Amino acid sequence: MSLDPSRLAPMANAIRALSMDAVQAANSGHPGMPMGMADVATVLWSKYLKFDPSAPDWADRDRFVLSAGHGSMLIYSLLHLSGYASPTIDDIRNFRQIGSPCAGHPENFLIDGVECTTGPLGQGVAMAVGMAVAERQLNANFGNDIVNHRTWAIAGDGCLMEGINHEAIGLAGHLKLGGLIVLWDDNNITIDGTADLSTSENVEARHQAAGWHTVRCDGHDQADISRAIEEAMADPRPSLVACKTIIGKGAPNKQGTSATHGAPLGAEEISAARDVLGWEHAPFVVPADITADWHATGERGKAEHAAWKTRLDASAHKAEFADRMAGVSAGAGAAIEDHIRGLAAEPKTVATRKASEMALGPLTEKLPHLIGGSADLTGSNNTKTPSTSPFSADDYSGRYMYYGIREFGMAAAMNGMMLHGGVVPYGGTFLIFSDYCRNAIRLSALQETGVVYVMTHDSIGLGEDGPTHQPVEQVMSLRLIPNLNVYRPCDTIETAECWALALQTSSTPSILALSRQNLPQLRGEGDEAWTSDVNRSAKGAYRISAAKAARKVVLIATGSEVALAVEVAAQLEEKGIGADVVSMPCAELFDAQDASYRSDVLGGADVLKVSIEAGTTLGWERYTGTEGLNIGLNRFGASAPAGDLFAKFGFTADAIVPQIVSKLEG
């Protein structure tokens, strides 16, 4: 399609009109950014972006990320105008209303053309980095004929101010991700007012220092925009295109001010904007000739898609590529079966972080989809295996990411990798640092991405590093996040089972909370209920040992405290007090079981329920009841060897048994 300004200008104005009309109808939203970036987006869509509106999931499409997600009407307008099935014009009319997929911020699970959920500023760019990583890794394995596309992101001043942006661009520059191009909406406006109220940094110099190529353009001159994009595409480095724009472009009295950022323009200003833009059409009406021009933007992509399918059909790698894009959920259980049988036959007393490494051995060997990594804690997280060579600018075929000290950036990049498809990422750090990347973990859950977070050093059991590094509230607080499975396995077999479960839930992210200290293997061929073909962790909690005397107590524990619960039960049995021990590796999966199973595991009102977990007790009453006993840690830890800390804070059988006896007698 020709870059004829006489045709492109009305196309851009269609974005402006839909954006201001939708925000006005909702009486809520952000019209300024889409109005300001309409020209840039029109040039990108009409000449450079590779997409097929009839196949939003085409594997070799370009990825487009609206990092400045508050300007969601930009992407809704683009998708509708260019011919995607969703959103419809009625969806746009109902912007931000119940039932409309046009939510306040773009949600990937509502509209197929939305690649990722954005809104928390900076994370869109970081997810785009992950998408660019996935593209390079797949390209290295399958070649240009099957995988060869770009990742584009539109970012605002807020995206580039957020701390995660520093992490993301540092990683992208180091990896020389030349297929990544960020279009910066350089309008010098934030919600509070002009950007110079809060920043005076040289954004381009910062990107250059991180190894990026930068170029400037007039964001309202189509020819200049095209020049800058072509320069970015020709450079082997990731690129920042600084598009100098006017926020709210076209609104004569409010453009260039923060008044257009996060509020409707108002009927009077919209009327004036229509006059300025020469837009004589009623709200939500786009003339047929402009619609036809927009629909034509997808024709190039449709042709490229057809040619790609021909190449794929002729490729010897067609089946392998389809398997990669399908993910690992179907094969994860089988990949680890032999490993579990081996553990049952030859028990191992190791830390669960080591048990995780042992499980990852066969998983990474048999599942080429898996890409591991760590935020500079590889030797502590035990996330690297012989099958995972480094992913680097010199070798994009590698399957191990050295993220550096970038926990938040790592988590967001993994979201982008998973959303891209073809790779399944897992990444490690200490559990305490889950707080650094918590908002990306939340977006994993919201976006329904099956990312796996390997979080080691899960309690005071890490010892001498002290309370700054000892998680107390993290496990329970992570359990608050919807659609997130938090696993805290007790031994080698549970760890392997939890890995299988994590990889089988492709729409639910997982946390593996793993110990630093060695733990005994509690299950195996000597286990009276042992069977190699049942994943006992799959129901979230199960009876790991049954009472011998008449049952009066049910001990519910997780992780390292399960072995402690077994010791407590043994002492209670010596006193004639029957005690079941329940291991609860995943509360979320247990809560999903039917009432009869939960009642069978926990017992009725005739037994004392006792929780044992080396963390905050808040929340355990949902299982123990108000009359139960909760053994935990409702304070910060201390610096000392692990054994001394467990003794100091009462995590010993000798300290717990008297409390249970007293409760029973009281």
Side-chain angles (χ1 to χ4, degrees), residues 460 564 640-656:
I460 57 171
L564 172 59
D644 295 344
L645 290 172
F646 280 117
K648 171 182 173 60
F649 294 119
F651 291 98
T652 66
D654 289 343
I656 295 172

Side-chain angles (χ1 to χ4, degrees), residues 43-121:
V43 171
L44 174 64
W45 233 256
S46 64
K47 187 172 182 181
Y48 302 106
L49 190 74
K50 183 170 68 171
F51 69 102
D52 181 352
S54 65
D57 60 348
W58 170 29
D60 199 38
R61 70 192 181 278
D62 283 358
R63 272 43 172 197
F64 174 76
V65 175
L66 185 65
S67 187
H70 57 276
S72 57
M73 271 310 305
L74 178 65
I75 194 167
Y76 299 150
S77 298
L78 289 165
L79 294 174
H80 171 71
L81 290 168
S82 58
Y84 283 79
S86 179
T88 66
I89 195 64
D90 284 339
D91 294 332
I92 290 175
R93 288 179 189 273
N94 292 306
F95 174 58
R96 289 189 166 218
Q97 307 305 304
I98 289 289
S100 172
C102 296
H105 294 83
E107 308 286 3
N108 68 300
F109 52 87
L110 293 179
I111 298 177
D112 287 338
V114 174
E115 299 286 359
C116 57
T117 294
T118 55
L121 293 179

